[in-house]
Amino acid sequence: MSGSLTVIGLGPGNAAQVTPEALAAIEAGEDFFGYGPYVDRLNLRDDQRRHASDNREEISRAEAALMLAAKGGRVCVVSGGDAGVFAMAAAVCEAIEAGPAEWREIHFSVVPGITAMLAVAARVGAPLGHDFCAISLSDNLKPWELIEKRLIAAAEAGFVMAFYNPVSKARPHQLSRAFDVLRAHLPGSVTVVFGRAAGRPDERMRIEPLSNAHSDMADMATCIIVGSTETRLIERPGQAPLVYSPRSAGKI
Amino acid sequence: MSGSLTVIGLGPGNAAQVTPEALAAIEAGEDFFGYGPYVDRLNLRDDQRRHASDNREEISRAEAALMLAAKGGRVCVVSGGDAGVFAMAAAVCEAIEAGPAEWREIHFSVVPGITAMLAVAARVGAPLGHDFCAISLSDNLKPWELIEKRLIAAAEAGFVMAFYNPVSKARPHQLSRAFDVLRAHLPGSVTVVFGRAAGRPDERMRIEPLSNAHSDMADMATCIIVGSTETRLIERPGQAPLVYSPRSAGKI
């Protein structure tokens, strides 16, 4: 008898941004898999089991969760942000496709969450107010040339961009290279938002022109939003400036 | 004395996807502006005032809300989905920039929400599991040529795409044209998800290959996700297929 596997997005880290749907799914779960800091966010009961693992073990975590669900368990896999945006939902799908036929009988569901770029955008105004894209800057799972191709395509077509996984200890140079690529295709006046830990006590929002953007301004907890040439900055007395992308674009 | 203006994202329409942060902001508000069906979702108290308006009146709605906030009111503007994704946050910022200096003194904030593409993606698997973009197909506020340019750029760079505002009575032909443009740049086997009313009682998810995608499959309540050539379909016995985009992309 197959059980269930639910991948749950916990939002950026502020309890007020966790949906009731996510809380209900946690309440109904028996076993919880995830990267340690995400599992730590759960207030589990004594009868609920915790299976925390390292950040890099996505496929083995997915397989362990699926094995338990195939035995009839009510299994949850938790992710920060949205479960489907550079997170565990895709890893579980990969494992289902590559795994035994019985894994396809598991009742699989995904609970969406507030993904980092939405939380960061909300804190500074509305930089994602028009067409935008989301790009992971990690070249662990795709060639760097493909990332550059996407950066250039997005810049030339006027998309606002949100960068996930901008830097890590193993990848200190990618973000610098990304800014260099963008500086060759966009004016230096384009607004860049470094949104760190949105909605958490250690939140920090920093706004810089692209000409001044530097990889030191980001860490692993940062989501970066690069505006388009249409993105605007509104200065305000005694308050941080607002960054927004108008609903209209181009000449019409 | 300036008041406050909070733009609140109510999510796709399922009460279980409204965040506690959004509920707290509604609780604290005095006046509520928004498109009628979104204002109708609120359970307002007798002392809270309702200012519903038509879908097309975004700037006049933003101005009315700002005028009231400038007089000291605690004003809320509500949007479906996320407030910053093709929604009211950008319209309010536009009005602030164009309006009197005193509007810049208003305490302005945005409460993020679950945007349609995340809710739709969650219902079918993880189609946004890798780099993706969001494009409004409405040419009310940008030239159609720019939309085509973005569609082609996204297709050629391998982005998954989410389409907002795919059709309306005033714009019946844009979605057909968008599919024709994509068919010239992507294989017909690419997966297209028509996600209607995700999380609501009248939800309907439909999965078609691009070769078969037709504008009749969408209405105003539909968010469309067009996969990349990497996007996979997992057939399952007795359950709808899963659609997902692997975490890896390209040759590495």
Side-chain angles (χ1 to χ4, degrees), chain A residues 16-18 20-21 58 84 94 97 106 128 131-132 134 136 141-143 150 157 232 244 247-249 251, chain B residues 16-18 20-21 58 84 94 97 106 128 131-132 134 136 141-143 150 157 232 239 244 247-249 251:
Chain A
Q17 292 178 341
V18 181
E21 186 182 29
E58 293 186 341
E94 284 172 44
E97 187 174 21
I106 293 166
L128 305 179
D131 300 338
F132 63 92
S136 169
L141 293 166
K142 66 186 164 188
R150 289 180 180 168
R232 312 271 310 163
Y244 82 98
R247 299 164 305 143
S248 60
K251 292 187 187 72
Chain B
Q17 292 178 342
V18 181
E21 187 183 29
E58 293 186 342
E94 285 172 45
E97 187 174 23
I106 292 167
L128 305 178
D131 301 337
F132 63 92
S136 168
L141 293 165
K142 66 186 164 189
R150 289 180 180 167
R232 312 272 310 161
Q239 294 190 78
Y244 82 99
R247 299 163 306 142
S248 61
K251 292 187 184 70

Side-chain angles (χ1 to χ4, degrees), chain A residues 14-23 58-59 82-87 89-91 93-97 101 103-115 117-119 121-123 125-144 146-147 149-151 153-154 156-159 164 228 230 232-237 239 242-252, chain B residues 14-23 58-59 82-87 89-91 93-97 101 103-115 117-119 121-123 125-144 146-147 149-151 153-154 156-159 164 228 230 232-237 239 242-252:
Chain A
N14 177 337
Q17 292 178 341
V18 181
T19 66
E21 186 182 29
L23 292 177
E58 293 186 341
I59 282 294
D82 179 80
V85 174
F86 308 117
C93 289
E94 284 172 44
I96 291 173
E97 187 174 21
W103 287 2
R104 299 184 186 213
E105 293 170 25
I106 293 166
H107 182 75
F108 174 75
S109 57
V110 180
V111 175
I114 304 290
T115 184
M117 65 180 167
L118 301 185
R123 296 299 280 166
L128 305 179
H130 205 67
D131 300 338
F132 63 92
C133 62
I135 302 175
S136 169
L137 291 191
S138 168
D139 57 357
N140 287 339
L141 293 166
K142 66 186 164 188
W144 177 255
L146 181 60
I147 298 174
K149 180 181 176 178
R150 289 180 180 168
L151 293 172
E156 293 188 339
F159 285 101
Y164 285 71
S228 72
E230 314 258 2
R232 312 271 310 163
L233 202 65
I234 310 178
E235 297 292 346
R236 298 184 299 172
Q239 296 190 78
L242 286 178
V243 182
Y244 82 98
S245 300
R247 299 164 305 143
S248 60
K251 292 187 187 72
I252 196 160
Chain B
N14 178 337
Q17 292 178 342
V18 181
T19 66
E21 187 183 29
L23 292 177
E58 293 186 342
I59 282 294
D82 179 78
V85 175
F86 308 117
C93 288
E94 285 172 45
I96 291 172
E97 187 174 23
W103 286 3
R104 299 183 186 214
E105 294 172 24
I106 292 167
H107 181 74
F108 174 76
S109 56
V110 179
V111 175
I114 304 291
T115 184
M117 65 181 167
L118 300 185
R123 296 299 280 164
L128 305 178
H130 205 68
D131 301 337
F132 63 92
C133 63
I135 302 175
S136 168
L137 290 191
S138 169
D139 57 356
N140 288 338
L141 293 165
K142 66 186 164 189
W144 177 255
L146 182 58
I147 298 174
K149 180 181 175 177
R150 289 180 180 167
L151 292 172
E156 291 187 340
F159 285 102
Y164 285 71
S228 73
E230 314 258 1
R232 312 272 310 161
L233 202 65
I234 311 178
E235 297 292 347
R236 298 184 298 172
Q239 294 190 78
L242 286 177
V243 182
Y244 82 99
S245 300
R247 299 163 306 142
S248 61
K251 292 187 184 70
I252 195 159

Side-chain angles (χ1 to χ4, degrees), chain A:
Chain A
M1 194 211 82
S2 281
S4 65
L5 193 154
T6 307
V7 191
I8 304 170
L10 298 175
N14 177 337
Q17 292 178 341
V18 181
T19 66
E21 186 182 29
L23 292 177
I26 295 162
E27 171 83 18
E30 296 170 327
D31 287 88
F32 295 80
F33 289 81
Y35 175 45
Y38 300 144
V39 179
D40 288 344
R41 285 200 214 158
L42 308 171
N43 292 311
L44 298 181
R45 300 185 305 267
D46 287 348
D47 62 317
Q48 293 178 310
R49 288 172 294 270
R50 191 180 184 285
H51 308 260
S53 50
D54 190 75
N55 203 8
R56 296 182 161 249
E57 297 172 7
E58 293 186 341
I59 282 294
S60 56
R61 178 192 304 148
E63 290 169 345
L66 285 160
M67 277 189 273
L68 208 52
K71 287 181 190 158
R74 291 196 304 276
V75 179
C76 296
V77 176
V78 295
S79 271
D82 179 80
V85 174
F86 308 117
M88 281 302 296
V92 174
C93 289
E94 284 172 44
I96 291 173
E97 187 174 21
E102 62 180 18
W103 287 2
R104 299 184 186 213
E105 293 170 25
I106 293 166
H107 182 75
F108 174 75
S109 57
V110 180
V111 175
I114 304 290
T115 184
M117 65 180 167
L118 301 185
V120 169
R123 296 299 280 166
V124 299
L128 305 179
H130 205 67
D131 300 338
F132 63 92
C133 62
I135 302 175
S136 169
L137 291 191
S138 168
D139 57 357
N140 287 339
L141 293 166
K142 66 186 164 188
W144 177 255
E145 294 67 33
L146 181 60
I147 298 174
E148 285 204 6
K149 180 181 176 178
R150 289 180 180 168
L151 293 172
I152 294 167
E156 293 188 339
F159 285 101
V160 172
M161 301 172 218
F163 295 158
Y164 285 71
N165 305 318
V167 286
S168 79
K169 280 181 190 166
R171 298 179 294 102
H173 305 300
Q174 280 79 345
L175 181 58
S176 289
R177 283 192 238 163
F179 285 140
D180 286 341
V181 168
L182 292 181
R183 278 188 277 262
H185 292 86
L186 287 172
S189 58
V190 157
T191 296
V192 180
V193 178
F194 294 84
R196 187 180 184 285
R200 303 209 296 264
D202 52 341
E203 170 181 306
R204 204 186 67 171
M205 297 291 138
R206 179 169 181 165
I207 297 168
E208 294 284 348
L210 177 60
S211 57
N212 197 36
H214 193 280
S215 61
D216 288 353
M217 298 169 185
D219 64 11
M220 284 176 63
T222 305
C223 180
I224 297 168
I225 297 177
V226 180
S228 72
T229 57
E230 314 258 2
T231 303
R232 312 271 310 163
L233 202 65
I234 310 178
E235 297 292 346
R236 298 184 299 172
Q239 296 190 78
L242 286 178
V243 182
Y244 82 98
S245 300
R247 299 164 305 143
S248 60
K251 292 187 187 72
I252 196 160

Side-chain angles (χ1 to χ4, degrees), chain B residues 218-231:
Chain B
D219 64 11
M220 286 175 63
T222 306
C223 180
I224 296 168
I225 298 177
V226 179
S228 73
T229 56
E230 314 258 1
T231 302

